[in-house]
């Protein structure tokens, strides 16, 4: 258990910051991946969007499988033992620390989010093997240097770190600003560190319509982008094969979660290594 567990806000204080009258991106996503941490307003928006574009459920499900494959590859093939997961979202099955520590019990993981709902569930993320460690930072993605400084309590930033930013950068409306945030975070990590990104993409009329409907719901907007812009986040890095592809096409496994799915989805991702 992380030492920072005692510093988390009390449940009552956190709940007071949670608005259950509006749909919420983490709860909405949680509903789509089969979780129970959501409210009627989230399910209503989710059901409405499923009518517009049923494929968004596949995006949510397969993006989670991509996370697992990427983490396993980084641990097994790249020797990564440290993870900085920004835009954590609500805990579900196979969170980053669970996947990493299943393969490498000594892995260390820092989760970062500034959402009161995620904070309320953070204790579920702070389990760890005795050999490893997990931590949670209540911090803002728009302050990369502050995140890196705080992460040093748990991570050794002189050694390679995997920066995980999954289904999060779409919340940054300005593309160049999103690129700058990624660059600033990677600038604070050493050679051999890796960047893992996935996001929904504007690769079908259905996805664009679903995004528009979601943004009109009152939730914090999420902007789908062309694949070329997702690829742009990896500029200056060595892209691991097969590059930036549909999340279902990134190093599919013969067994395990999502094995052999091969479904077409409007979500692309990739992994890049810092030279």
């Amino acid at each position: 258990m992380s030492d920072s567990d005692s510093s988390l806000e009390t449940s009552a204080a956190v709940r007071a910051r949670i608005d259950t009258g509006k749909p919420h991106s983490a709860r909405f996503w949680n509903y789509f991946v089969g979780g129970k941490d959501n409210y009627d307003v989230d399910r209503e928006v989710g059901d409405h969007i499923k009518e517009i574009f049923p494929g968004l459920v596949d995006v949510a499900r397969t993006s989670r499988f991509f996370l697992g494959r990427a983490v396993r590859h980084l641990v097994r093939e790249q020797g990564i033992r440290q993870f900085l997961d920004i835009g954590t979202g609500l805990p579900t099955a196979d969170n980053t620390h669970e996947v990493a520590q299943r393969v490498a019990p000594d892995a260390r993981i820092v989760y970062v989010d500034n959402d009161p709902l995620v904070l309320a569930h953070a204790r579920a993320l702070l389990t760890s093997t005795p050999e490893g460690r997990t931590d949670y930072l209540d911090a803002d993605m728009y302050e990369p240097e502050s995140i890196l400084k705080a992460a040093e309590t748990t991570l050794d930033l002189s050694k390679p770190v995997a920066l995980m930013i999954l289904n999060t950068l779409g919340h940054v409306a300005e593309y160049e600003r999103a690129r700058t945030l990624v660059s600033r975070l990677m600038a604070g990590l050493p050679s051999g560190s890796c960047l893992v990104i996935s996001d929904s993409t504007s690769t079908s009329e259905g996805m664009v319509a679903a995004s528009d409907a979601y943004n009109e719901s009152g939730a914090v907007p999420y902007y789908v982008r062309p694949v070329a812009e997702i690829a742009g986040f990896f500029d200056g890095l060595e892209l691991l094969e097969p590059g930036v592809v549909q999340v279902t096409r990134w190093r599919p496994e013969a067994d395990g979660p999502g094995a052999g799915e091969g479904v077409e989805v409007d979500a692309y991702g990739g992994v890049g290594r810092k030279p």
Side-chain angles (χ1 to χ4, degrees):
M1 183 70 70
S2 166
D3 293 338
S4 70
D5 182 58
S6 60
S7 67
L8 293 176
E9 296 181 44
T10 65
S11 296
V14 173
R15 289 194 188 98
R17 295 168 52 196
I18 298 172
D19 184 354
T20 60
K22 293 181 179 179
H24 183 281
S25 60
R27 298 192 313 244
F28 170 85
W29 209 246
N30 177 264
Y31 174 50
F32 270 15
V33 297
K36 298 180 180 179
D37 295 310
N38 46 74
Y39 295 95
D40 286 344
V41 65
D42 309 299
R43 294 187 286 272
E44 288 169 6
V45 171
D47 290 341
H48 173 60
I49 290 177
K50 280 194 287 186
E51 291 178 1
I52 296 172
F53 182 55
L56 192 56
V57 176
D58 287 331
V59 167
R61 181 178 59 84
T62 59
S63 293
R64 196 70 182 178
F65 296 151
F66 167 74
L67 178 154
R69 295 197 304 275
V71 169
R72 284 190 289 274
H73 174 80
L74 290 171
V75 173
R76 291 169 175 163
E77 306 300 329
Q78 301 296 322
I80 298 288
R81 294 296 183 271
Q82 303 187 106
F83 294 81
L84 181 59
D85 188 329
I86 296 181
T88 302
L90 289 171
T92 56
D94 283 346
N95 300 292
T96 298
H97 74 282
E98 294 169 321
V99 178
Q101 291 181 346
R102 199 173 292 142
V103 182
D106 61 334
R108 292 184 164 226
I109 297 87
V110 172
Y111 292 104
V112 181
D113 212 306
N114 70 337
D115 190 303
L117 183 67
V118 178
L119 177 60
H121 291 267
R123 282 180 170 79
L125 292 168
L126 292 177
T127 58
S128 177
T129 57
E131 305 93 329
R133 186 175 176 187
T134 65
D135 203 353
Y136 177 90
L137 301 179
D138 184 11
D140 194 328
M141 177 174 66
Y142 293 97
E143 299 177 355
E145 289 76 21
S146 296
I147 288 173
L148 292 168
K149 183 174 179 59
E152 286 185 301
T153 302
T154 302
L155 306 180
D156 180 352
L157 299 191
S158 69
K159 298 179 180 178
V161 175
L163 174 62
M164 315 280 295
I165 316 179
L166 279 71
N167 306 103
T168 297
L169 290 168
H171 288 299
V172 183
E174 303 86 1
Y175 176 60
E176 288 305 322
R177 187 179 190 188
R179 283 191 55 159
T180 297
L181 291 172
V182 173
S183 295
R184 288 164 63 186
L185 286 162
M186 289 302 297
L189 302 179
S191 175
S193 293
C194 292
L195 172 66
V196 183
I197 286 177
S198 70
D199 262 307
S200 300
T201 50
S202 56
T203 41
S204 76
E205 292 181 0
M207 175 57 86
V208 173
S211 176
D212 290 344
Y214 176 79
N215 292 345
E216 292 168 0
S217 71
V220 176
Y222 184 98
Y223 303 94
V224 293
R225 295 191 161 104
V227 177
E229 292 189 357
I230 305 299
F233 291 127
F234 295 95
D235 284 355
L237 304 179
E238 300 170 350
L239 266 177
L240 304 187
E241 292 293 337
V244 176
V245 295
Q246 288 182 3
V247 292
T248 52
R249 308 295 181 190
W250 198 90
R251 296 180 180 264
E253 297 171 336
D255 52 16
E261 56 194 357
V263 63
E264 299 289 326
V265 292
D266 293 297
Y268 279 67
V271 179
R273 186 178 185 277
K274 186 173 180 177

